[in-house]
């Protein structure tokens, strides 16, 4: 959660009279919950930092292809259903990127900028 979402959520909790019920939730004091939340937060932060460095040292096109590839890998790993239109769009993006690599090499451009 960000600060922009925590502030309105706090106001909603106060006005809905759920504050007293929030203190009685049994899993808030459980060690595993906070460990899992911490690991999730660190993983999300690491992914954002990796994407920043990806854009810094390559191009926005490479970032776009990485996002498309990530969505395909997530769909395969977690057995998510993709609509036909989503699958066709992902395959067209990946095919265009594979076609674009020889053009980059032909023009003498490098993948990693310094």
């Amino acid at each position: 959660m960000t600060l922009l979402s925590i502030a309105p959520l706090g106001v909603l909790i106060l006005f809905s009279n759920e504050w007293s019920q929030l203190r009685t939730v049994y899993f808030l004091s459980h060690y595993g919950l906070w460990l899992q939340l911490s690991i999730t937060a660190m993983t999300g932060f690491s992914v954002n930092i990796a994407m920043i460095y990806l854009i810094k040292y390559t191009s926005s096109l490479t970032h776009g292809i990485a996002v498309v590839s990530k969505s395909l890998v997530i769909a395969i790993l977690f057995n998510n259903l993709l609509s036909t239109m989503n699958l066709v769009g992902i395959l067209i993006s990946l095919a265009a990127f594979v076609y674009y690599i020889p053009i980059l090499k032909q023009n003498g451009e490098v993948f990693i900028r310094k």
Side-chain angles (χ1 to χ4, degrees):
M1 285 190 186
T2 64
L3 285 177
L4 292 175
S5 64
I6 291 174
L9 184 64
V11 171
L12 287 174
I13 288 174
L14 285 176
F15 285 126
S16 66
N17 294 325
E18 292 183 5
W19 185 255
S20 61
Q21 294 174 358
L22 186 64
R23 285 184 277 153
T24 61
V25 175
Y26 71 93
F27 58 80
L28 285 179
S29 61
H30 193 322
Y31 174 74
L33 169 76
W34 295 105
L35 178 67
Q36 187 176 10
L37 287 175
S38 299
I39 291 171
T40 303
M42 287 185 287
T43 304
F45 182 75
S46 300
V47 166
N48 287 335
I49 294 299
M51 289 298 171
I52 288 171
Y53 279 110
L54 179 71
I55 293 173
K56 180 179 177 181
Y57 290 113
T58 59
S59 67
S60 60
L61 175 68
T62 307
H63 175 262
I65 296 302
V67 169
V68 168
S69 301
K70 182 175 72 170
S71 66
L72 182 62
V73 168
I74 287 172
I76 291 170
L77 285 179
F78 296 112
N79 201 18
N80 293 343
L81 295 176
L82 289 174
S83 69
T84 305
M85 184 179 284
N86 285 345
L87 186 61
V88 168
I90 288 172
L91 293 176
I92 288 173
S93 306
L94 293 176
F97 186 67
V98 169
Y99 178 74
Y100 182 65
I101 291 172
I103 295 172
L104 282 176
K105 287 183 180 179
Q106 184 180 23
N107 291 338
E109 297 179 24
V110 293
F111 288 99
I112 299 176
R113 289 189 231 153
K114 295 183 180 185

